[in-house]
Amino acid sequence: MSEHRRKPPQPEGGGRAAARRAAQQRPGRGAGPARDVPTASPSGPYAEPPGHGSRAGARRAAPRGSGGRGRAAGPAGRGPGSPDKRLINYPRSDKAGWQRFVPSWKLVCGTALGFFAIITAGAGIGIASVNTPDANKAAQAQNNVFFWQDGTQMVATGGSMNRQIVPIDRIPKSMQNAVIAAENESFETDKGVDPMGVARAVWNMAKGGSTQGGSTITQQYVKNTYLDSDQTLKRKVTELFISIKLGVSEEKDTILAGYLNTAYYGRDAYGIQAAARAYFGKDCVDLTPSESAFLASVLKGPNLYNPDGGIGAAATPEKNTERAKERWAWVLDREVAVKRMPKADRDQFKEFPKLVDSEQARGLSGQTGYLVDTAKKYVMKVTGITPDEMARGGYQIRTTFQKPRVDALAKAVEDTRNDFLDEKARPEYDTFVQFGAASVDVKTGAIVALYGGPGMDKKYFSNNADTLGVPVGSTWKPYVLAAAMQYGTQNSNGRGISADSKYNANDLTVINNRDGKPLRDASGKPFKQKNESTYPYGYVTLNEAMEKSINVPFAQLVFDVGHTKVREIAESTGILKDSMNPNNDASFALGTSTPSAIRMADSYATFAASGTHRDPFSVTRVEKDGKELPGFGAPKEQRAMDNAIADNVTKVLQNVIENGTGTKVRKLGFNRPAAGKTGTTDQNKSAWFVGYTPELSTSVALFRTDPNSADKKLISMNGVGGVDSIHGGDIPAAIWTEYMKEALKGTPVKEFPEADKIGVTADASGAPSPSPSFSPSPSPSMPSPSASSSPPVSPTPSKGGKPSCKPWELYCIPDTGGGTNSGSTNGGAGGSSGSPSPTPSGKPGRPGGTSWGTTVGTSG
């Protein structure tokens, strides 16, 4: 065989198969020259490969010499078990599948150690960068200065009992024990922070809640040095660092004394010494363990635990006293539990400690306390600051209150009270009678005056002008009428109705629901609505029903309109939803809802302003540290209802004063255009008069309740003042009149806007068909009636439900069986001159006929 056909020599120990595999393999994509793989020599096609010594060696060498596509090729394609030179071997190259993502113990320990090192370094830097608070500058109380609307000072509150620093040896051990037991059991051993408390705060913050929670006494002392008390992460972290620094650098007695000397206890008292004087009239060194437990209880939150009461619906004197007593008992029990008081000593304290009268309340005599209370609530509502922040002071607050009108309202109430009540002669009837009133500027919604009660200096802390829980009675009926005018009834084919629509007004009439079926009472029998009078009115217009305040027509009308529609109207005028009766019953139309006097005055101002509503407000400007706070401009006006509807409601309410239940306003000599409504509730538990002129809207409430009772239950006023029953047209109307005469003295007389014709006459089911009557066309040459100085004539009730001539009913033929009705001759809604001949009205309000629109009522 020739030499050129001779087979090449086989690699040692590799065999033919190994050689073929090695020859056929090509470098993979992207792979560099493999280690241990021989390259061809430029001198010839064949080079002598290095010996491997065995077939197994050749097999091991062959894959390494390959640059194939598999993951096993090259440095990045190292298989499981191969070493990895990355700084962090994750995902792990020495594992396969899901195990690649399981961190090694080295990685876990290294990460934890690194994180701890970073946190430690950061904490160290943070602690070193903060300054220890100066206790002598912490929590300095400042005055809140309140100003009248004209810029003169009303009162300065707060700071009157500023801090008095006392050393720890002057703070009784009983106070120290009470505070430690109640707020920070581990105070004497912790390092200024509570890790679990911090975790809770972080968790709350992660959930979007407050960053507070679990603060130690050290943290609370630190927090007291930040007067803004912003609930932000930055402030919380700063507080944490300072607390840690104090925890390791200050004596515990120093921290405890600092906290007790800077904390706010209510009653304008900062620090334990001022608190002891404010609540018990003694120095703190003389506090008993029971008194110390009380002061420790107040520290939980003076606004909710000061028995005087606080700001907000949940901070009444009754609720605060109840909370304070429960907390006081708990603190004493807690002292026993943590071994800071022997149980035998605890058993001696059975009665809640007796407090001295509040000096703060004595300084807010008369109406001042209620004015300040109202302004504070408004400031906190606008700014979002807390009651405690407000109590720290420093605010300059310009209010809307006008001193002459505040004084006039207080005088009207007190004069009437003195003339009407005699608690010594009739103690069983005339005690606990309460008055509340508010007056609002129609154009702006500004509260210009209010009457909240006899005075905080007389231990009456509830603000009757801003209280809930007193039913408004028939003063609610205008909302039912306005809803009917706006939305119509089931009988009006979707069109608003006029006040000439007729409804059955007889006493004990069965009321039907929206399906036309009788309502059922508790016994399952058809519900019959009761009037105050048993007079058989028959079918009357809604105008007359409002004039005489007849219940039955409105009890039916609310079902024909729909309760939801009435609520919408009331809410659009400023009545708060949570003050409305939530039930869809007949009594809803008759005033079982309980808005405040402020809200009622503001709501009726919407009618006076032709349907434009403005939220009530009491503050126009606030400054803190020389800077004006935003948000205190007058609230924006909103359209509550069509102006024609509001003006027609006003026309109906003018008739109430001219000819109805509010005629006492005229009898007392009020000679301006005025509209209003009386309200008297079941069992005579409250009586209201809410009325307005084009300038002012004022509400007056009269009710009876024991201010010291737990439930503030209303008591019947039957027999009060020596009369069988009290009505809104009596005492409340008299107060309203006397105040409005003085409040408007010297201001020009203004007229209400002219009321356009609106709606259709949609009588209730069963109403008789209207009989045609002659209505002469007006002559343009007919003169307007001249003003008369004679007093108005009392109206004669219409017969059989037929409405007598109203002041604006130009073409009405008077009932010859009754007397003529004469409206006010000085700025009223117009009226007849005493002649049966119809004449055009020269007063505001478009003259209407007996019908304001098309009759679409049903019969049968």
Side-chain angles (χ1 to χ4, degrees):
M1 183 179 293
S2 61
E3 186 174 348
H4 71 273
R5 297 183 61 188
R6 190 179 301 160
K7 294 181 180 180
Q10 301 295 323
E12 294 184 16
R16 295 180 180 180
R20 279 197 304 271
R21 287 193 298 272
Q24 292 170 358
Q25 301 226 359
R26 294 183 178 88
R29 289 182 297 181
R35 293 172 299 175
D36 303 336
V37 177
T39 59
S41 172
S43 61
Y46 306 108
E48 198 69 23
H52 295 287
S54 67
R55 294 181 179 180
R59 285 195 299 270
R60 286 193 299 271
R64 289 197 299 269
S66 172
R69 300 178 182 182
R71 285 185 299 178
R78 191 172 290 107
S82 299
D84 193 327
K85 294 184 178 181
R86 288 179 296 170
L87 179 63
I88 299 176
N89 183 21
Y90 190 84
R92 298 172 63 179
S93 62
D94 56 339
K95 299 292 182 180
W98 62 269
Q99 292 180 326
R100 297 177 64 239
F101 299 97
V102 178
S104 66
W105 67 271
K106 293 181 179 179
L107 180 60
V108 172
C109 293
T111 302
L113 184 61
F115 181 76
F116 180 76
I118 293 173
I119 292 297
T120 302
I125 295 171
I127 294 173
S129 64
V130 298
N131 295 320
T132 302
D134 185 354
N136 293 323
K137 296 180 180 179
Q140 291 292 333
Q142 302 180 60
N143 284 332
N144 284 324
V145 183
F146 294 83
F147 299 90
W148 294 103
Q149 183 266 345
D150 63 5
T152 58
Q153 183 171 317
M154 178 197 306
V155 67
T157 68
S160 58
M161 281 187 277
N162 208 339
R163 293 183 309 123
Q164 301 174 43
I165 301 296
V166 291
I168 192 67
D169 58 6
R170 294 284 295 172
I171 301 175
K173 197 68 177 177
S174 65
M175 185 65 196
Q176 300 178 43
N177 288 333
V179 172
I180 294 174
E183 300 193 24
N184 188 186
E185 176 187 351
S186 64
F187 168 72
E188 293 176 338
T189 58
D190 64 37
K191 299 302 181 183
V193 296
D194 175 12
M196 292 303 297
V198 173
R200 283 194 299 271
V202 172
W203 176 249
N204 289 337
M205 182 182 63
K207 293 190 301 181
S210 171
T211 59
Q212 286 185 331
S215 294
T216 63
I217 286 176
T218 306
Q219 287 176 272
Q220 293 181 67
Y221 167 50
V222 170
K223 184 173 63 177
N224 287 343
T225 68
Y226 292 87
L227 300 182
D228 55 4
S229 294
D230 291 335
Q231 295 305 310
T232 61
L233 179 60
K234 178 181 178 181
R235 191 201 64 79
K236 195 68 179 178
V237 171
T238 304
E239 173 193 305
L240 185 66
F241 287 156
I242 296 176
S243 300
I244 295 174
K245 187 169 186 176
L246 284 178
V248 298
S249 64
E250 292 286 355
E251 296 290 336
K252 289 294 183 179
D253 282 352
T254 302
I255 295 173
L256 183 59
Y259 171 57
L260 294 176
N261 278 313
T262 59
Y264 179 61
Y265 296 77
R267 288 194 174 184
D268 282 344
Y270 289 82
I272 182 62
Q273 173 64 14
R277 299 299 306 176
Y279 286 100
F280 301 109
K282 61 173 66 173
D283 293 330
C284 67
V285 71
D286 298 322
L287 290 171
T288 68
S290 177
E291 294 166 345
S292 295
F294 166 77
L295 292 179
S297 302
V298 174
L299 285 175
K300 185 173 177 64
N303 191 63
L304 295 178
Y305 289 86
N306 177 2
D308 299 339
I311 300 174
T316 64
E318 295 75 25
K319 293 179 181 178
N320 280 19
T321 299
E322 181 180 353
R323 277 189 289 263
K325 288 182 176 179
E326 291 177 357
R327 179 77 176 174
W328 165 78
W330 178 86
V331 170
L332 291 171
D333 292 338
R334 181 68 178 164
E335 289 186 70
V336 175
V338 299
K339 296 180 171 42
R340 289 186 173 273
M341 176 184 287
K343 190 175 186 307
D345 292 350
R346 164 66 181 94
D347 293 340
Q348 299 177 17
F349 307 116
K350 301 295 184 182
E351 295 185 2
F352 191 68
K354 182 176 177 58
L355 311 181
V356 299
D357 291 343
S358 170
E359 183 176 329
Q360 179 184 18
R362 290 196 297 269
L364 298 176
S365 60
Q367 298 308 301
T368 304
Y370 308 119
L371 300 175
V372 167
D373 174 72
T374 303
K376 280 182 178 179
K377 287 181 180 178
Y378 189 77
V379 171
M380 289 188 293
K381 174 185 174 182
V382 172
T383 62
I385 65 175
T386 66
D388 287 347
E389 290 168 340
M390 173 62 70
R392 291 189 181 99
Y395 296 93
Q396 307 283 312
I397 301 170
R398 174 76 67 89
T399 73
T400 61
F401 305 126
Q402 300 175 11
K403 190 176 188 305
R405 286 175 168 171
V406 170
D407 292 343
L409 185 55
K411 184 176 186 301
V413 172
E414 297 302 332
D415 286 350
T416 303
R417 174 193 287 275
N418 295 336
D419 292 340
F420 177 60
L421 301 178
D422 191 340
E423 296 184 18
K424 294 182 179 179
R426 296 182 296 269
E428 69 276 23
Y429 296 112
D430 289 4
T431 55
F432 307 138
V433 177
Q434 309 294 337
F435 297 82
S439 187
V440 172
D441 186 282
V442 167
K443 290 183 178 180
T444 65
I447 306 171
V448 299
L450 60 79
Y451 183 89
M456 293 183 176
D457 55 321
K458 297 181 180 179
K459 299 184 180 181
Y460 193 87
F461 298 100
S462 296
N463 185 352
N464 290 341
D466 197 26
T467 189
L468 301 178
V470 181
V472 297
S474 294
T475 59
W476 192 261
K477 291 173 182 175
Y479 304 121
V480 184
L481 178 61
M485 290 179 170
Q486 176 87 16
Y487 301 107
T489 66
Q490 297 181 124
N491 297 328
S492 68
N493 299 327
R495 289 177 288 177
I497 69 171
S498 79
D500 279 331
S501 302
K502 294 185 178 67
Y503 272 71
N504 191 343
N506 286 334
D507 189 37
L508 298 177
T509 296
V510 173
I511 304 301
N512 296 325
N513 61 21
R514 289 185 65 80
D515 296 327
K517 298 179 180 180
L519 298 180
R520 300 290 173 176
D521 60 20
S523 65
K525 297 179 180 179
F527 170 76
K528 298 180 179 179
Q529 179 60 55
K530 182 174 178 54
N531 291 327
E532 185 175 7
S533 169
T534 60
Y535 183 84
Y537 294 102
Y539 279 82
V540 302
T541 65
L542 294 174
N543 179 61
E544 185 175 355
M546 188 76 74
E547 172 192 314
K548 295 180 173 63
S549 200
I550 308 172
N551 290 337
V552 169
F554 292 97
Q556 183 59 61
L557 181 62
V558 74
F559 284 96
D560 292 350
V561 175
H563 292 72
T564 300
K565 299 299 185 185
V566 177
R567 288 190 179 93
E568 289 177 2
I569 284 289
E571 188 174 2
S572 72
T573 66
I575 300 298
L576 300 180
K577 186 178 296 184
D578 59 4
S579 69
M580 298 186 202
N581 173 9
N583 301 316
N584 293 337
D585 49 24
S587 64
F588 173 77
L590 309 180
T592 49
S593 297
T594 60
S596 68
I598 290 175
R599 285 288 169 177
M600 287 300 290
D602 176 71
S603 176
Y604 269 47
T606 305
F607 298 132
S610 296
T612 299
H613 174 249
R614 299 168 180 84
D615 276 337
F617 68 104
S618 57
V619 176
T620 59
R621 182 183 178 92
V622 176
E623 291 184 4
K624 177 73 181 295
D625 299 329
K627 297 180 180 179
E628 183 176 353
L629 303 186
F632 290 97
K636 294 182 179 179
E637 62 182 40
Q638 296 177 328
R639 173 59 59 181
M641 65 188 74
D642 186 83
N643 65 306
I645 293 172
D647 293 341
N648 274 280
V649 171
T650 294
K651 179 179 283 189
V652 173
L653 297 184
Q654 280 184 279
N655 186 52
V656 171
I657 290 179
E658 298 294 337
N659 301 306
T661 56
T663 54
K664 192 162 191 174
V665 170
R666 292 293 185 229
K667 293 177 181 178
L668 292 175
F670 192 80
N671 295 320
R672 288 174 176 264
K677 184 68 188 76
T678 60
T680 307
T681 58
D682 189 33
Q683 299 180 24
N684 207 206
K685 291 182 178 179
S686 64
W688 288 73
F689 186 82
V690 187
Y692 53 90
T693 67
E695 301 87 4
L696 286 180
S697 177
T698 302
S699 64
V700 179
L702 180 67
F703 56 99
R704 190 178 179 212
T705 184
D706 182 355
N708 298 317
S709 63
D711 56 3
K712 289 288 188 70
K713 184 178 180 180
L714 295 179
I715 307 171
S716 174
M717 291 189 293
N718 290 334
V720 169
V723 298
D724 293 337
S725 62
I726 305 296
H727 297 81
D730 297 329
I731 302 304
I735 294 173
W736 185 94
T737 304
E738 292 304 311
Y739 162 71
M740 293 290 279
K741 286 166 62 177
E742 184 65 26
L744 295 173
K745 183 182 294 183
T747 62
V749 175
K750 294 183 179 180
E751 310 289 356
F752 286 115
E754 182 176 316
D756 296 329
K757 291 182 179 180
I758 62 168
V760 296
T761 303
D763 297 338
S765 299
S769 300
S771 56
S773 60
F774 173 71
S775 297
S777 299
S779 170
S781 62
M782 295 175 69
S784 299
S786 59
S788 171
S789 60
S790 60
V793 180
S794 299
T796 300
S798 60
K799 296 181 180 180
K802 180 180 178 180
S804 58
C805 291
K806 303 303 183 294
W808 61 83
E809 293 177 339
L810 178 61
Y811 309 122
C812 173
I813 300 176
D815 180 7
T816 56
T820 59
N821 291 333
S822 175
S824 170
T825 57
N826 291 309
S832 64
S833 61
S835 168
S837 300
T839 57
S841 171
K843 302 300 179 183
R846 178 174 298 167
T850 55
S851 174
W852 291 2
T854 307
T855 300
V856 296
T858 60
S859 61

